[in-house]
Amino acid sequence: MDHSAHRTSTARDHAAHQAHGGGHGLASASWGTAVKATLHCLTGCAIGEILGMVIGTALLWGNIETMILAIALAFVFGYSFTLFAVRRAGLDWKSAVKVALAADTVSIAVMELVDNGIIALVPGAMDAHLSDALFWTALLGGFAVAFVITTPVNKWMIGRGKGHAVVHAYH
């Protein structure tokens, strides 16, 4: 087929076309793409959650208040990584916020649910101090399990043009 009559598409159009399966059904997301998306999410979540745990513990807050702060900061940092990346790609603030929310909400929510669930279930982890090995092993172990569980979720979403697939049009 002669493609010279077709309009020249931008990189954004091409990426969006690929993310949606090229109009021929659903795209198949690779495990590599899902792992990269999950690592992106994990980085923001880890920074926010560790910062929240450190602040709450240092201020001698209770477990509930500390966990709320840690989860809130995990969402803030998780969204901010995507937000600033798509802003650098030229999106206005309103569009960038919409993309970040669409790209990261499910991934961050699953990651936080799993990670904090594990921390809550590990005996003594909620009462451990920053200087205790139990604090760090429960936290890092929770991140590891959350990564393993969130990666297939991201693969499924990307394969349907959701989640991090909406960001790929701006990279």
Side-chain angles (χ1 to χ4, degrees):
M1 171 184 246
D2 180 19
H3 292 284
S4 61
H6 293 257
R7 71 175 175 85
T8 304
S9 55
T10 64
R12 182 174 142 183
D13 291 341
H14 180 68
H17 182 71
Q18 285 182 329
H20 295 291
H24 306 291
L26 297 175
S28 174
S30 71
W31 281 105
T33 300
V35 165
K36 286 178 187 175
T38 308
L39 284 172
H40 170 92
C41 176
L42 177 64
T43 302
C45 287
I47 291 169
E49 191 159 329
I50 290 170
L51 184 60
M53 294 283 188
V54 168
I55 291 169
T57 302
L59 295 175
L60 303 175
W61 287 0
N63 290 337
I64 300 299
E65 295 86 359
T66 299
M67 191 172 276
I68 290 170
L69 176 63
I71 292 169
L73 289 177
F75 273 92
V76 167
F77 278 88
Y79 286 139
S80 69
F81 281 9
T82 299
L83 181 66
F84 293 120
V86 296
R87 283 284 295 144
R88 275 193 309 269
L91 252 57
D92 62 282
W93 276 104
K94 184 177 180 182
S95 298
V97 168
K98 286 180 182 180
V99 167
L101 291 173
D104 295 329
T105 299
V106 171
S107 184
I108 295 171
V110 170
M111 185 135 334
E112 287 302 301
L113 179 68
V114 172
D115 178 50
N116 284 286
I118 288 171
I119 292 169
L121 292 174
V122 171
M126 292 295 291
D127 296 319
H129 296 279
L130 295 174
S131 60
D132 296 336
L134 179 59
F135 173 86
W136 294 103
T137 55
L139 186 62
L140 298 177
F143 287 142
V145 173
F147 176 82
V148 169
I149 291 173
T150 307
T151 300
V153 171
N154 281 332
K155 183 180 186 309
W156 181 81
M157 289 180 56
I158 293 167
R160 280 147 189 78
K162 308 282 186 207
H164 275 265
V166 300
V167 174
H168 291 249
Y170 305 102
H171 286 285

